[in-house]
Amino acid sequence: TYEKLWLAAAMVLIVGFIATITYGAVGPGVSMIDDDGGSIDPDAISDHERFGDTGVTHVGGNEYEVDVVAQAWSYSPGEIEVPAGSEVTFYVTSRDVTHSFSVVGTNINTMVIPGEVSKMTVEFDEPGEYGILCNEYCGEGHHNMEGKLTVV
Ligand code: CUA
């Protein structure tokens, strides 16, 4: 009957979805970075298409992407510059231990976990200077772990 056919088709779809998700999660060299962030191999950051070359990328219009790698006890890049009126999406990961990436005076305050990519977007309307801080204790140099973001 048609009911059995539909059931079979649904099963095929479900198995297909599971296979796709499993492959995405454990497949070789695959990093999933989507609207919620994603995962990354912390030992292969230097070769990663996004994090191998950190910094600011103009992606069109007023949109910018900033790729940041945190490591004890600094950020790469340490200084970030974006124009006023820009919409900036940060992608942040850690090379070693858990840090945080907090842009003082904005709503950006996220944990940065090795193997994971934190993604967040913020708009900078006015020129100004913002401190970047690590709020997660990460060892003896934790209190020196900082950066600077300048909106020009
Ligand atoms: Cu990095 Cu605290």
Side-chain angles (χ1 to χ4, degrees):
T1 67
Y2 285 118
E3 262 175 45
K4 276 186 181 162
L5 271 176
W6 280 114
L7 208 60
M11 287 303 293
V12 167
L13 273 178
I14 288 166
V15 170
F17 281 136
I18 291 170
T20 304
I21 290 164
T22 306
Y23 180 77
V26 302
V30 175
S31 70
M32 300 186 299
I33 300 176
D34 53 27
D35 289 345
D36 301 317
S39 62
I40 183 176
D41 178 358
D43 295 325
I45 283 179
S46 303
D47 300 323
H48 191 271
E49 57 176 324
R50 179 176 288 283
F51 295 105
D53 184 21
T54 59
V56 180
T57 305
H58 184 207
V59 291
N62 67 333
E63 294 179 20
Y64 292 79
E65 290 181 355
V66 182
D67 303 322
V68 179
V69 173
Q71 59 193 319
W73 291 280
S74 62
Y75 298 99
S76 171
E79 297 196 2
I80 297 166
E81 189 176 294
V82 294
S86 58
E87 183 184 289
V88 180
T89 301
F90 294 89
Y91 294 85
V92 192
T93 191
S94 168
R95 194 187 289 277
D96 42 31
V97 299
T98 298
H99 299 278
S100 93
F101 181 81
S102 308
V103 183
V104 180
T106 74
N107 61 358
I108 292 185
N109 182 9
T110 185
M111 280 178 80
V112 181
I113 299 166
E116 295 186 16
V117 178
S118 300
K119 176 185 175 188
M120 61 243 110
T121 300
V122 67
E123 287 183 31
F124 292 101
D125 295 329
E126 304 287 333
E129 273 195 14
Y130 298 84
I132 298 171
L133 289 177
C134 179
N135 285 329
E136 196 74 27
Y137 183 74
C138 56
E140 57 177 306
H142 162 70
H143 58 283
N144 289 327
M145 187 164 172
E146 56 191 27
K148 189 170 87 173
L149 185 147
T150 309
V151 182
V152 295

